[in-house]
């Protein structure tokens, strides 16, 4: 079947996050590798109790090869700190490992983020399955609807699901990891970057912090 599956290593390498990250450089499981600079795999300890799943690398992440090093990562770091979570203890990854974007030649080739399609999420899922099986976190946080779809294995409305410690559904990527006790869905930090007025920002930030705190409590 199409997708990343045939690039995911078997055996001992399958449960070694560094080996997975290394193997992902060769992935051609969908077309997104072609226009991206490099694969962006994950960051953080491979024995973390808390795993955070984003959507896909952004422009900065694509250039640097590290997840959440751009503006959304700044928001996330601030929210984790406000939630009392040491960011160094958290495993960070994305549903899709290559940067999907469009180029605007009339604006000096500025690269514009493009939301990955369901087909990209599905193609990239073998990486998420393998890394979650390797890390075996107690709680998985899905940042935004793309991540929620990947983690829960079904379309998900963030507004309806957010902020609760949800039981991991059977069969979904998390359902195959016995250690996962809960999934917490929240907004994507980049959604805050689009908020212009101060009160909207504060409200959205506080809600993100509250959801991350819920996840941290569930992981203890
Ligand atoms: N947004 C994401 O979802 N992931 C990143 O790594 C950066 C921005
Ligand atoms: Fe492979 Fe995922 Fe990159 Fe597609 S986005 S090429 S499936 S790593």
């Amino acid at each position: 079947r199409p997708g990343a599956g045939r690039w995911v290593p078997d055996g001992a390498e399958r449960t070694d996050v560094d080996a997975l990250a290394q193997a992902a450089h060769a992935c051609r499981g969908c077309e997104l590798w072609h226009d991206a600079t490099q694969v962006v795999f994950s960051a953080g300890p491979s024995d973390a109790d808390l795993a955070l799943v984003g959507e896909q690398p952004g422009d900065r992440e694509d250039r640097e090869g590290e997840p959440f090093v751009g503006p959304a990562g700044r928001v996330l770091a601030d929210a984790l700190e406000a939630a009392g979570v040491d960011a160094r203890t958290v495993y960070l990854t994305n549903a899709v490992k290559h940067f999907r974007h469009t180029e605007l030649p009339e604006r000096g080739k500025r690269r514009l983020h493009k939301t990955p399609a369901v087909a990209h999420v599905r193609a990239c899922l073998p990486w998420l399955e393998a890394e979650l099986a390797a890390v075996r976190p107690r709680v998985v946080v899905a940042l935004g609807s793309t991540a929620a779809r990947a983690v829960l294995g079904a379309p998900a409305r963030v507004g309806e699901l957010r902020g609760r410690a949800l039981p991991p559904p059977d069969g979904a990527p998390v359902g195959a990891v016995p250690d996962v006790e809960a999934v917490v869905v929240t907004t994507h930090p980049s959604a805050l970057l689009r908020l212009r007025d101060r009160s909207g920002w504060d409200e959205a930030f506080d809600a993100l912090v509250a959801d991350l705190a819920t996840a941290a409590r569930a992981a203890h």
Side-chain angles (χ1 to χ4, degrees), residues 55-134:
E55 182 198 66
Q56 67 165 0
D59 181 85
R60 278 279 293 282
E61 289 80 12
D62 171 78
R63 294 176 201 278
E64 295 187 24
E66 286 284 318
F68 290 105
V69 291
R74 187 69 252 162
V75 175
L76 182 61
D78 290 347
L80 284 169
E81 191 183 355
V85 179
D86 182 347
R88 292 166 305 183
T89 67
V90 169
Y91 183 79
L92 280 177
T93 192
N94 285 299
V96 171
K97 266 68 172 167
H98 278 104
F99 177 39
R100 188 183 195 209
H101 61 279
T102 47
E103 288 190 1
L104 300 176
E106 70 277 16
R107 292 170 68 179
K109 283 225 169 191
R110 198 164 82 91
R111 304 187 306 168
L112 220 62
H113 167 278
K114 204 170 169 194
T115 303
V118 175
H120 301 125
V121 174
R122 196 173 295 143
C124 214
L125 205 55
W127 293 116
L128 187 66
E129 288 171 345
E131 63 189 325
L132 290 178

Side-chain angles (χ1 to χ4, degrees), residues 133-144:
V135 174
R136 299 170 61 171
R138 290 157 72 91
V139 174
V140 178
V141 178
L143 301 166

